[in-house]
mmCIF file of all heavy atoms in Angstrom:
data_model
loop_
_atom_site.group_PDB
_atom_site.id
_atom_site.type_symbol
_atom_site.label_atom_id
_atom_site.label_comp_id
_atom_site.label_asym_id
_atom_site.label_seq_id
_atom_site.Cartn_x
_atom_site.Cartn_y
_atom_site.Cartn_z
ATOM 1 N N LYS A 277 6.639 4.241 1.545
ATOM 2 C CA LYS A 277 5.595 4.608 2.509
ATOM 3 C C LYS A 277 4.880 5.881 2.065
ATOM 4 O O LYS A 277 3.640 5.960 2.142
ATOM 5 C CB LYS A 277 6.220 4.817 3.890
ATOM 6 C CG LYS A 277 5.250 5.314 4.960
ATOM 7 C CD LYS A 277 5.966 5.568 6.268
ATOM 8 C CE LYS A 277 5.009 6.076 7.325
ATOM 9 N NZ LYS A 277 4.003 5.074 7.730
ATOM 10 N N LEU A 278 5.644 6.874 1.613
ATOM 11 C CA LEU A 278 5.038 8.127 1.171
ATOM 12 C C LEU A 278 4.073 7.887 0.019
ATOM 13 O O LEU A 278 2.951 8.412 0.022
ATOM 14 C CB LEU A 278 6.125 9.114 0.751
ATOM 15 C CG LEU A 278 5.629 10.416 0.100
ATOM 16 C CD1 LEU A 278 4.811 11.236 1.090
ATOM 17 C CD2 LEU A 278 6.795 11.242 -0.436
ATOM 18 N N LEU A 279 4.482 7.104 -0.957
ATOM 19 C CA LEU A 279 3.620 6.864 -2.112
ATOM 20 C C LEU A 279 2.357 6.108 -1.714
ATOM 21 O O LEU A 279 1.255 6.428 -2.182
ATOM 22 C CB LEU A 279 4.389 6.096 -3.189
ATOM 23 C CG LEU A 279 5.565 6.851 -3.839
ATOM 24 C CD1 LEU A 279 6.221 5.989 -4.907
ATOM 25 C CD2 LEU A 279 5.115 8.183 -4.432
ATOM 26 N N LEU A 280 2.489 5.108 -0.846
ATOM 27 C CA LEU A 280 1.303 4.380 -0.383
ATOM 28 C C LEU A 280 0.370 5.306 0.394
ATOM 29 O O LEU A 280 -0.857 5.227 0.260
ATOM 30 C CB LEU A 280 1.720 3.190 0.488
ATOM 31 C CG LEU A 280 2.374 2.020 -0.251
ATOM 32 C CD1 LEU A 280 2.992 1.048 0.742
ATOM 33 C CD2 LEU A 280 1.372 1.300 -1.150
ATOM 34 N N THR A 281 0.958 6.197 1.195
ATOM 35 C CA THR A 281 0.148 7.152 1.950
ATOM 36 C C THR A 281 -0.588 8.102 1.012
ATOM 37 O O THR A 281 -1.778 8.403 1.218
ATOM 38 C CB THR A 281 1.033 7.951 2.914
ATOM 39 O OG1 THR A 281 1.706 7.055 3.799
ATOM 40 C CG2 THR A 281 0.200 8.920 3.738
ATOM 41 N N LEU A 282 0.085 8.571 -0.028
ATOM 42 C CA LEU A 282 -0.551 9.474 -0.990
ATOM 43 C C LEU A 282 -1.680 8.776 -1.746
ATOM 44 O O LEU A 282 -2.682 9.403 -2.089
ATOM 45 C CB LEU A 282 0.488 10.007 -1.977
ATOM 46 C CG LEU A 282 1.542 10.965 -1.406
ATOM 47 C CD1 LEU A 282 2.537 11.369 -2.493
ATOM 48 C CD2 LEU A 282 0.890 12.204 -0.792
ATOM 49 N N ILE A 283 -1.524 7.480 -1.994
ATOM 50 C CA ILE A 283 -2.594 6.720 -2.657
ATOM 51 C C ILE A 283 -3.855 6.761 -1.804
ATOM 52 O O ILE A 283 -4.965 7.006 -2.301
ATOM 53 C CB ILE A 283 -2.151 5.261 -2.904
ATOM 54 C CG1 ILE A 283 -1.079 5.206 -3.989
ATOM 55 C CG2 ILE A 283 -3.356 4.398 -3.308
ATOM 56 C CD1 ILE A 283 -0.435 3.832 -4.143
ATOM 57 N N GLY A 284 -3.701 6.526 -0.504
ATOM 58 C CA GLY A 284 -4.859 6.528 0.375
ATOM 59 C C GLY A 284 -5.431 7.910 0.603
ATOM 60 O O GLY A 284 -6.644 8.127 0.471
ATOM 61 N N LEU A 285 -4.578 8.873 0.915
ATOM 62 C CA LEU A 285 -5.053 10.234 1.196
ATOM 63 C C LEU A 285 -5.699 10.869 -0.022
ATOM 64 O O LEU A 285 -6.693 11.593 0.093
ATOM 65 C CB LEU A 285 -3.886 11.105 1.676
ATOM 66 C CG LEU A 285 -3.275 10.765 3.031
ATOM 67 C CD1 LEU A 285 -2.082 11.665 3.320
ATOM 68 C CD2 LEU A 285 -4.312 10.895 4.138
ATOM 69 N N GLY A 286 -5.114 10.610 -1.192
ATOM 70 C CA GLY A 286 -5.656 11.191 -2.415
ATOM 71 C C GLY A 286 -6.749 10.373 -3.051
ATOM 72 O O GLY A 286 -7.334 10.783 -4.057
ATOM 73 N N LYS A 287 -7.024 9.187 -2.459
ATOM 74 C CA LYS A 287 -8.014 8.262 -3.032
ATOM 75 C C LYS A 287 -7.733 8.030 -4.516
ATOM 76 O O LYS A 287 -8.626 8.144 -5.373
ATOM 77 C CB LYS A 287 -9.432 8.772 -2.806
ATOM 78 C CG LYS A 287 -9.787 8.914 -1.331
ATOM 79 C CD LYS A 287 -11.245 9.155 -1.101
ATOM 80 C CE LYS A 287 -11.567 9.385 0.378
ATOM 81 N NZ LYS A 287 -11.104 8.323 1.276
ATOM 82 N N ALA A 288 -6.468 7.710 -4.791
ATOM 83 C CA ALA A 288 -6.024 7.446 -6.167
ATOM 84 C C ALA A 288 -6.382 6.015 -6.528
ATOM 85 O O ALA A 288 -5.566 5.088 -6.427
ATOM 86 C CB ALA A 288 -4.515 7.682 -6.285
ATOM 87 N N SER A 289 -7.626 5.811 -6.949
ATOM 88 C CA SER A 289 -8.154 4.466 -7.144
ATOM 89 C C SER A 289 -7.409 3.676 -8.219
ATOM 90 O O SER A 289 -7.374 2.441 -8.159
ATOM 91 C CB SER A 289 -9.645 4.532 -7.491
ATOM 92 O OG SER A 289 -9.860 5.347 -8.628
ATOM 93 N N GLU A 290 -6.808 4.353 -9.188
ATOM 94 C CA GLU A 290 -6.086 3.609 -10.215
ATOM 95 C C GLU A 290 -4.793 3.000 -9.685
ATOM 96 O O GLU A 290 -4.155 2.206 -10.371
ATOM 97 C CB GLU A 290 -5.782 4.496 -11.411
ATOM 98 C CG GLU A 290 -4.913 5.703 -11.121
ATOM 99 C CD GLU A 290 -4.952 6.686 -12.278
ATOM 100 O OE1 GLU A 290 -4.294 6.415 -13.288
ATOM 101 O OE2 GLU A 290 -5.660 7.702 -12.161
ATOM 102 N N CYS A 291 -4.420 3.348 -8.460
ATOM 103 C CA CYS A 291 -3.244 2.745 -7.818
ATOM 104 C C CYS A 291 -3.645 1.661 -6.823
ATOM 105 O O CYS A 291 -2.801 1.184 -6.052
ATOM 106 C CB CYS A 291 -2.438 3.811 -7.093
ATOM 107 S SG CYS A 291 -1.705 5.059 -8.167
ATOM 108 N N ALA A 292 -4.915 1.253 -6.830
ATOM 109 C CA ALA A 292 -5.371 0.257 -5.860
ATOM 110 C C ALA A 292 -4.604 -1.054 -5.984
ATOM 111 O O ALA A 292 -4.338 -1.727 -4.983
ATOM 112 C CB ALA A 292 -6.868 0.008 -6.038
ATOM 113 N N ASP A 293 -4.235 -1.433 -7.204
ATOM 114 C CA ASP A 293 -3.498 -2.682 -7.391
ATOM 115 C C ASP A 293 -2.123 -2.633 -6.719
ATOM 116 O O ASP A 293 -1.613 -3.666 -6.269
ATOM 117 C CB ASP A 293 -3.331 -2.992 -8.883
ATOM 118 C CG ASP A 293 -4.625 -3.453 -9.529
ATOM 119 O OD1 ASP A 293 -5.578 -3.758 -8.789
ATOM 120 O OD2 ASP A 293 -4.686 -3.483 -10.777
ATOM 121 N N ILE A 294 -1.520 -1.450 -6.670
ATOM 122 C CA ILE A 294 -0.242 -1.291 -5.975
ATOM 123 C C ILE A 294 -0.426 -1.597 -4.494
ATOM 124 O O ILE A 294 0.345 -2.356 -3.890
ATOM 125 C CB ILE A 294 0.303 0.138 -6.166
ATOM 126 C CG1 ILE A 294 0.697 0.376 -7.619
ATOM 127 C CG2 ILE A 294 1.485 0.398 -5.233
ATOM 128 C CD1 ILE A 294 1.081 1.814 -7.916
ATOM 129 N N ALA A 295 -1.440 -0.987 -3.897
ATOM 130 C CA ALA A 295 -1.694 -1.201 -2.473
ATOM 131 C C ALA A 295 -2.069 -2.650 -2.194
ATOM 132 O O ALA A 295 -1.643 -3.240 -1.190
ATOM 133 C CB ALA A 295 -2.805 -0.260 -2.000
ATOM 134 N N TYR A 296 -2.857 -3.248 -3.076
ATOM 135 C CA TYR A 296 -3.257 -4.639 -2.868
ATOM 136 C C TYR A 296 -2.046 -5.569 -2.939
ATOM 137 O O TYR A 296 -1.887 -6.472 -2.098
ATOM 138 C CB TYR A 296 -4.293 -5.044 -3.915
ATOM 139 C CG TYR A 296 -4.691 -6.502 -3.832
ATOM 140 C CD1 TYR A 296 -5.586 -6.938 -2.859
ATOM 141 C CD2 TYR A 296 -4.162 -7.449 -4.716
ATOM 142 C CE1 TYR A 296 -5.940 -8.279 -2.763
ATOM 143 C CE2 TYR A 296 -4.517 -8.782 -4.628
ATOM 144 C CZ TYR A 296 -5.402 -9.184 -3.653
ATOM 145 O OH TYR A 296 -5.749 -10.512 -3.560
ATOM 146 N N ALA A 297 -1.194 -5.357 -3.931
ATOM 147 C CA ALA A 297 -0.014 -6.215 -4.090
ATOM 148 C C ALA A 297 0.892 -6.118 -2.875
ATOM 149 O O ALA A 297 1.441 -7.132 -2.408
ATOM 150 C CB ALA A 297 0.741 -5.841 -5.358
ATOM 151 N N SER A 298 1.074 -4.920 -2.336
ATOM 152 C CA SER A 298 1.917 -4.757 -1.151
ATOM 153 C C SER A 298 1.275 -5.382 0.073
ATOM 154 O O SER A 298 1.955 -5.999 0.904
ATOM 155 C CB SER A 298 2.192 -3.270 -0.894
ATOM 156 O OG SER A 298 3.027 -2.729 -1.887
ATOM 157 N N THR A 299 -0.033 -5.242 0.206
ATOM 158 C CA THR A 299 -0.743 -5.840 1.342
ATOM 159 C C THR A 299 -0.564 -7.352 1.368
ATOM 160 O O THR A 299 -0.368 -7.957 2.423
ATOM 161 C CB THR A 299 -2.241 -5.502 1.278
ATOM 162 O OG1 THR A 299 -2.413 -4.086 1.353
ATOM 163 C CG2 THR A 299 -3.002 -6.146 2.421
ATOM 164 N N MET A 300 -0.615 -7.968 0.211
ATOM 165 C CA MET A 300 -0.586 -9.427 0.121
ATOM 166 C C MET A 300 0.814 -9.985 -0.127
ATOM 167 O O MET A 300 0.969 -11.194 -0.327
ATOM 168 C CB MET A 300 -1.527 -9.877 -1.000
ATOM 169 C CG MET A 300 -2.969 -9.445 -0.823
ATOM 170 S SD MET A 300 -3.721 -10.095 0.695
ATOM 171 C CE MET A 300 -3.970 -11.802 0.197
ATOM 172 N N ASN A 301 1.810 -9.125 -0.093
ATOM 173 C CA ASN A 301 3.188 -9.563 -0.327
ATOM 174 C C ASN A 301 3.815 -10.031 0.986
ATOM 175 O O ASN A 301 4.183 -9.220 1.838
ATOM 176 C CB ASN A 301 4.006 -8.418 -0.932
ATOM 177 C CG ASN A 301 5.447 -8.822 -1.213
ATOM 178 O OD1 ASN A 301 5.851 -9.971 -1.029
ATOM 179 N ND2 ASN A 301 6.250 -7.869 -1.648
ATOM 180 N N GLY A 302 3.946 -11.336 1.138
ATOM 181 C CA GLY A 302 4.491 -11.879 2.372
ATOM 182 C C GLY A 302 5.933 -11.511 2.619
ATOM 183 O O GLY A 302 6.436 -11.657 3.743
ATOM 184 N N LEU A 303 6.641 -11.043 1.603
ATOM 185 C CA LEU A 303 8.045 -10.653 1.756
ATOM 186 C C LEU A 303 8.207 -9.167 2.091
ATOM 187 O O LEU A 303 9.313 -8.729 2.423
ATOM 188 C CB LEU A 303 8.825 -10.980 0.472
ATOM 189 C CG LEU A 303 8.857 -12.459 0.068
ATOM 190 C CD1 LEU A 303 9.626 -12.627 -1.237
ATOM 191 C CD2 LEU A 303 9.478 -13.314 1.169
ATOM 192 N N ALA A 304 7.139 -8.404 1.990
ATOM 193 C CA ALA A 304 7.207 -6.969 2.286
ATOM 194 C C ALA A 304 7.301 -6.760 3.789
ATOM 195 O O ALA A 304 6.768 -7.555 4.579
ATOM 196 C CB ALA A 304 5.982 -6.259 1.730
ATOM 197 N N PRO A 305 7.978 -5.692 4.222
ATOM 198 C CA PRO A 305 8.082 -5.434 5.665
ATOM 199 C C PRO A 305 6.734 -5.082 6.280
ATOM 200 O O PRO A 305 5.814 -4.637 5.594
ATOM 201 C CB PRO A 305 9.065 -4.256 5.738
ATOM 202 C CG PRO A 305 9.032 -3.625 4.394
ATOM 203 C CD PRO A 305 8.740 -4.713 3.418
ATOM 204 N N TYR A 306 6.689 -5.263 7.599
ATOM 205 C CA TYR A 306 5.450 -5.036 8.353
ATOM 206 C C TYR A 306 4.852 -3.658 8.067
ATOM 207 O O TYR A 306 3.666 -3.536 7.743
ATOM 208 C CB TYR A 306 5.754 -5.192 9.848
ATOM 209 C CG TYR A 306 4.723 -4.603 10.774
ATOM 210 C CD1 TYR A 306 3.600 -5.336 11.143
ATOM 211 C CD2 TYR A 306 4.874 -3.311 11.287
ATOM 212 C CE1 TYR A 306 2.650 -4.800 11.998
ATOM 213 C CE2 TYR A 306 3.927 -2.769 12.141
ATOM 214 C CZ TYR A 306 2.824 -3.514 12.495
ATOM 215 O OH TYR A 306 1.882 -2.981 13.329
ATOM 216 N N GLY A 307 5.670 -2.608 8.178
ATOM 217 C CA GLY A 307 5.162 -1.246 8.019
ATOM 218 C C GLY A 307 4.569 -0.987 6.655
ATOM 219 O O GLY A 307 3.537 -0.320 6.526
ATOM 220 N N GLU A 308 5.211 -1.527 5.617
ATOM 221 C CA GLU A 308 4.704 -1.312 4.263
ATOM 222 C C GLU A 308 3.350 -1.987 4.073
ATOM 223 O O GLU A 308 2.451 -1.427 3.445
ATOM 224 C CB GLU A 308 5.699 -1.836 3.234
ATOM 225 C CG GLU A 308 5.228 -1.654 1.800
ATOM 226 C CD GLU A 308 6.280 -2.007 0.768
ATOM 227 O OE1 GLU A 308 7.443 -1.554 0.933
ATOM 228 O OE2 GLU A 308 5.951 -2.717 -0.189
ATOM 229 N N ARG A 309 3.206 -3.179 4.617
ATOM 230 C CA ARG A 309 1.931 -3.890 4.452
ATOM 231 C C ARG A 309 0.796 -3.177 5.192
ATOM 232 O O ARG A 309 -0.332 -3.122 4.694
ATOM 233 C CB ARG A 309 2.075 -5.342 4.917
ATOM 234 C CG ARG A 309 3.032 -6.149 4.034
ATOM 235 C CD ARG A 309 3.078 -7.606 4.426
ATOM 236 N NE ARG A 309 1.814 -8.274 4.172
ATOM 237 C CZ ARG A 309 1.582 -9.551 4.499
ATOM 238 N NH1 ARG A 309 2.519 -10.262 5.108
ATOM 239 N NH2 ARG A 309 0.415 -10.103 4.228
ATOM 240 N N ILE A 310 1.096 -2.623 6.351
ATOM 241 C CA ILE A 310 0.073 -1.871 7.079
ATOM 242 C C ILE A 310 -0.280 -0.586 6.336
ATOM 243 O O ILE A 310 -1.455 -0.230 6.193
ATOM 244 C CB ILE A 310 0.542 -1.562 8.512
ATOM 245 C CG1 ILE A 310 0.577 -2.847 9.351
ATOM 246 C CG2 ILE A 310 -0.375 -0.530 9.168
ATOM 247 C CD1 ILE A 310 -0.782 -3.506 9.536
ATOM 248 N N ASP A 311 0.720 0.122 5.818
ATOM 249 C CA ASP A 311 0.451 1.336 5.027
ATOM 250 C C ASP A 311 -0.402 1.010 3.803
ATOM 251 O O ASP A 311 -1.314 1.771 3.450
ATOM 252 C CB ASP A 311 1.766 1.975 4.579
ATOM 253 C CG ASP A 311 2.549 2.586 5.733
ATOM 254 O OD1 ASP A 311 1.917 2.992 6.723
ATOM 255 O OD2 ASP A 311 3.793 2.641 5.637
ATOM 256 N N ALA A 312 -0.094 -0.104 3.160
ATOM 257 C CA ALA A 312 -0.853 -0.514 1.983
ATOM 258 C C ALA A 312 -2.289 -0.868 2.349
ATOM 259 O O ALA A 312 -3.238 -0.525 1.634
ATOM 260 C CB ALA A 312 -0.164 -1.698 1.309
ATOM 261 N N LEU A 313 -2.466 -1.546 3.481
ATOM 262 C CA LEU A 313 -3.806 -1.908 3.937
ATOM 263 C C LEU A 313 -4.623 -0.661 4.260
ATOM 264 O O LEU A 313 -5.812 -0.577 3.927
ATOM 265 C CB LEU A 313 -3.709 -2.817 5.164
ATOM 266 C CG LEU A 313 -5.031 -3.321 5.744
ATOM 267 C CD1 LEU A 313 -5.781 -4.169 4.723
ATOM 268 C CD2 LEU A 313 -4.772 -4.122 7.019
#
């Protein structure tokens, strides 16, 4: 969660694929997918 939050707050665009993969991962927990989104 911390790393996903830092990606968004820091606008670390080179980590966008990380956030996208977590958002679209049906096996990931609810909170992680929302943080990634």
Side-chain angles (χ1 to χ4, degrees):
K277 175 183 179 67
L278 173 64
L279 294 181
L280 289 168
T281 302
L282 292 178
I283 290 171
L285 293 177
K287 299 191 184 305
S289 56
E290 61 194 283
C291 295
D293 287 347
I294 292 173
Y296 176 78
S298 291
T299 299
M300 301 300 285
N301 181 4
L303 299 178
Y306 163 85
E308 180 173 313
R309 294 185 67 184
I310 290 297
D311 291 332
L313 182 62

